[in-house]
Amino acid sequence: MEDLISKTRDIRRHILNITAEANSGHPGGSLSAVEILTVLYFSLLNINPKEPQWVDRDRFILSKSHACPVLYAALCESGFFPKKELKSFRSINGLLQGHAHIKTPGVDMSGGSLGQGLSFGVGVALSAKLDSKRYYTYVLLGDGECDEGQIWEAAMSATHYKADNLTAIVDRNRIQNDRSTDQVMQLEPFVEKWQAFGWHTQEVDGHDITALVSALNKTKEIKDVPSVIIANTVKGKGVSFMEGNPAFHGKAANKEELIAALKEID
């Protein structure tokens, strides 16, 4: 547990540093997902950084692809590429683009438009069943993109095809772009919606590592239906002036803010 907590600090530092150096990116929605990615990459996923395309690896799909700083940080800390590559974030022809791209070692889906990751994940999960493979597929969704009709088409499809090797995790930070999700589109009753679509549903504190480990392990016991974990989070988690602040959806910290933010994390 201490190792995982320490890893969350490392990942938060990377997120703040690379977005500040690029003077662009999405720190808020990356910081809210740190514990989720930490548990996945350092406690759960069956992956091999030395062989990124290993056919039997577990798959992770970042549907909220603009939050790629958290994925890049986790991949870097896992050993998929050297730390020096973090400096290429959002640079032309750099290894780490502004939205996750499959040219980056460890990235399983190129993202951009929201709402597509769950459909992609359903296809990957069904491919495993057709090929008699035992890997699991995990999809991280933003709560804002759950406004998209394609999410619910995919949810219905996953249940129909009994994709019990598929787990969706919703980063429920309640802010999309420049306002609250409730102002854009009312999602509640959110848990009940997933249940109505036939998914095994759990709701947890998305910053509680123990709760996340327990919930993710539970999904492997579920048969014949897909699983979803609603992870209640805080956008900008870990930095007081970023927490719950829509301004840091797509705004990097300036020099003074970066210094203050790094002090809070340390």
Side-chain angles (χ1 to χ4, degrees):
M1 184 60 66
E2 290 180 3
D3 289 342
L4 291 175
I5 292 172
S6 177
K7 194 63 69 177
T8 64
R9 296 192 189 101
D10 293 337
I11 290 175
R12 283 195 164 89
R13 290 188 197 100
H14 288 321
I15 291 168
L16 291 166
N17 281 319
I18 68 174
T19 53
E21 184 162 339
N23 194 29
S24 66
H26 296 79
S30 297
L31 291 167
S32 66
V34 168
E35 281 76 15
I36 298 168
L37 271 287
T38 298
V39 170
L40 284 169
Y41 277 89
F42 303 99
S43 179
L44 186 80
L45 293 180
N46 184 25
I47 51 178
N48 182 0
K50 295 182 179 179
E51 192 178 349
Q53 295 303 311
W54 177 39
V55 69
D56 291 318
R57 73 190 184 281
D58 287 337
R59 270 64 166 179
F60 174 72
I61 310 301
L62 181 64
S63 188
K64 47 175 282 180
S65 187
H66 57 286
C68 56
V70 67
L71 175 57
Y72 295 155
L75 291 173
C76 173
E77 288 291 327
S78 298
F80 280 89
F81 51 81
K83 289 185 179 180
K84 65 180 182 180
E85 291 292 349
L86 291 173
K87 293 183 178 295
S88 72
F89 177 60
R90 288 203 164 210
S91 63
I92 295 175
N93 298 321
L95 184 66
L96 310 181
Q97 289 300 298
H99 286 75
H101 192 284
I102 57 172
K103 79 173 187 177
T104 304
V107 174
D108 285 317
M109 186 194 84
S110 295
S113 297
L114 291 167
Q116 298 179 352
L118 190 58
S119 295
F120 190 94
V122 172
V124 173
L126 295 183
S127 177
K129 286 183 172 288
L130 290 170
D131 293 338
S132 299
K133 297 291 184 180
R134 301 186 59 150
Y135 64 77
Y136 288 87
T137 299
Y138 300 88
V139 180
L140 181 63
L141 301 169
D143 50 2
E145 70 176 320
C146 290
D147 295 349
E148 302 273 2
Q150 187 172 341
I151 293 291
W152 301 104
E153 292 178 60
M156 186 163 51
S157 177
T159 304
H160 178 78
Y161 290 107
K162 299 183 178 181
D164 52 9
N165 57 345
L166 172 68
T167 295
I169 308 159
V170 182
D171 182 4
R172 186 76 167 105
N173 62 37
R174 292 178 167 76
I175 295 175
Q176 64 186 106
N177 206 336
D178 60 352
R179 68 193 80 177
S180 73
T181 54
D182 286 350
Q183 288 177 287
V184 179
M185 185 71 68
Q186 178 61 253
L187 290 173
E188 298 298 342
F190 196 47
V191 171
E192 289 81 357
K193 282 185 172 72
W194 287 97
Q195 291 172 338
F197 275 77
W199 287 56
H200 176 264
T201 307
Q202 301 175 80
E203 186 173 16
V204 301
D205 178 346
H207 301 301
D208 185 329
I209 290 175
T210 301
L212 287 167
V213 170
S214 177
L216 284 162
N217 284 333
K218 177 67 176 178
T219 65
K220 293 187 175 182
E221 302 172 7
I222 305 303
K223 302 301 179 185
D224 296 328
V225 296
S227 294
V228 62
I229 298 170
I230 311 300
N232 292 306
T233 62
V234 176
K235 199 157 189 173
K237 178 67 175 180
V239 180
S240 60
F241 57 86
M242 290 186 177
E243 290 187 355
N245 186 348
F248 288 96
H249 169 78
K251 172 187 176 300
N254 60 35
K255 184 177 180 179
E256 292 74 21
E257 290 169 337
L258 177 63
I259 292 171
L262 292 174
K263 282 183 178 179
E264 288 193 23
I265 291 172
D266 292 336

